[in-house]
């Protein structure tokens, strides 16, 4: 009997010795994006992933670190699924620089390219 994507992904992470916290977090990410788009995560396009990350940043006001965790989980899922090609995502970011001389916010885009 064929295993579900969820079971295959979890098995992949266990076999690759991911921590229990990472497994839980990545599985939660997979579940949340599937619910957000109401479809299987392996059917979600790169554009939809980028829109989802923007939703997390702009609408839910999650920190960059939290969004980066979501991105890492999605990248792991896509790297696990062979034949998907390249996952290239641009995500807006900001960070504080020069705290000793006052705060300067830097804005830009992080481009994450995952190829397999």
């Amino acid at each position: 009997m064929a295993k579900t994507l969820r079971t295959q992904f979890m098995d992949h992470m266990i076999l690759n010795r991911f921590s229990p916290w990472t497994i839980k977090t990545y599985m939660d990410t997979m579940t949340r994006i599937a619910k957000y788009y109401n479809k299987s995560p392996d059917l979600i396009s790169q554009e939809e992933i980028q829109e989802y990350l923007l939703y997390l940043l702009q609408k839910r006001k999650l920190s960059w670190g939290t969004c980066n965790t979501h991105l890492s989980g999605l990248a792991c899922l896509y790297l696990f699924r062979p034949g998907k090609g390249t996952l290239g995502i641009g995500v807006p970011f900001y960070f504080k620089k020069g705290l000793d001389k006052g705060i300067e916010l830097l804005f830009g885009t992080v481009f994450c390219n995952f190829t397999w």
Side-chain angles (χ1 to χ4, degrees):
M1 176 177 250
K3 291 184 177 183
T4 64
L5 174 62
R6 181 178 184 80
T7 303
Q8 291 175 28
F9 186 43
M10 187 173 289
D11 289 350
H12 165 75
M13 291 188 288
I14 291 168
L15 289 171
N16 284 284
R17 303 180 68 194
F18 284 52
S19 75
W21 182 89
T22 300
I23 292 170
K24 180 190 178 318
T25 303
Y26 287 8
M27 295 305 291
D28 287 347
T29 296
M30 188 174 110
T31 301
R32 288 172 192 259
I33 197 167
K35 285 182 181 179
Y36 184 81
Y37 284 110
N38 196 29
K39 60 182 174 181
S40 177
D42 61 341
L43 300 175
I44 294 171
S45 70
Q46 291 184 34
E47 292 80 19
E48 289 171 321
I49 292 172
Q50 185 165 336
E51 288 172 14
Y52 179 71
L53 291 169
L54 287 169
Y55 158 77
L56 296 176
L57 283 165
Q58 295 174 342
K59 301 288 186 205
R60 294 214 32 226
K61 306 279 190 218
L62 298 180
S63 70
W64 168 250
T66 301
C67 293
N68 187 45
T69 301
H70 285 268
L71 177 58
S72 297
L74 293 168
C76 182
L77 173 64
Y78 276 77
L79 289 170
F80 156 71
R81 299 290 294 170
K84 285 286 186 184
T86 299
L87 176 62
I89 298 175
V91 181
F93 76 96
Y94 76 90
F95 65 92
K96 298 174 184 176
K97 178 181 176 186
L99 294 175
D100 57 332
K101 300 173 190 166
I103 296 173
E104 176 187 357
L105 293 179
L106 301 177
F107 295 89
T109 303
V110 174
F111 288 95
C112 304
N113 291 301
F114 305 98
T115 306
W116 57 98

